Amino acid sequence: QVQLVESGGGSVQAGGSLKLSCAYTGLRYSMAWFRQGPGQEREGVALIKTDGRTTYADSVKGRFTTAQDNAKNTVYLQMNSLKPDDTAMYYCASRFLGDSWYLAKSWHYWGQGTQVTVSS
């Protein structure tokens, strides 16, 4: 059984940075970061596969970086140059196999989420 626990959210001003963590137990599969703003659909932000390859949504490319520390069973999302539009609940997710990584419905395991609020 895979369990995911996010941490690191908070409130920052525009231009600031935050680093989210996702601690996992169970087998390490591909993992992704998603976010969901009020009244919005959950959208894919970043993907990191078991071999470390990453993919990013266009909206965060060049500002966000995801990385893994296998010794700590943790995946990270470093968020720089934050904008008010980045305000959302952020989730990490895990799955064994699947297509269309940016679609929430294709992911099997979810954390409880951590809130990120960016003020202008």
Side-chain angles (χ1 to χ4, degrees), residues 43-110:
E43 64 172 351
V45 173
L47 165 73
I48 182 164
K49 296 189 174 182
T50 53
D51 61 6
R53 287 181 294 164
T54 57
T55 304
Y56 297 93
D58 287 344
S59 58
V60 305
K61 205 171 290 183
R63 300 189 297 122
F64 291 11
T65 303
T66 188
Q68 59 190 8
D69 185 335
N70 293 331
K72 295 183 178 181
N73 285 4
T74 301
V75 171
Y76 302 97
L77 184 68
Q78 176 67 47
M79 305 185 295
N80 299 326
S81 302
L82 283 163
K83 306 174 182 179
D85 285 349
D86 295 319
T87 295
M89 185 71 79
Y90 282 72
Y91 301 88
C92 63
S94 178
R95 70 181 185 187
F96 179 55
L97 288 174
D99 297 324
S100 304
W101 73 269
Y102 46 88
L103 296 179
K105 64 182 181 180
S106 69
W107 292 82
H108 308 136
Y109 302 100
W110 293 88

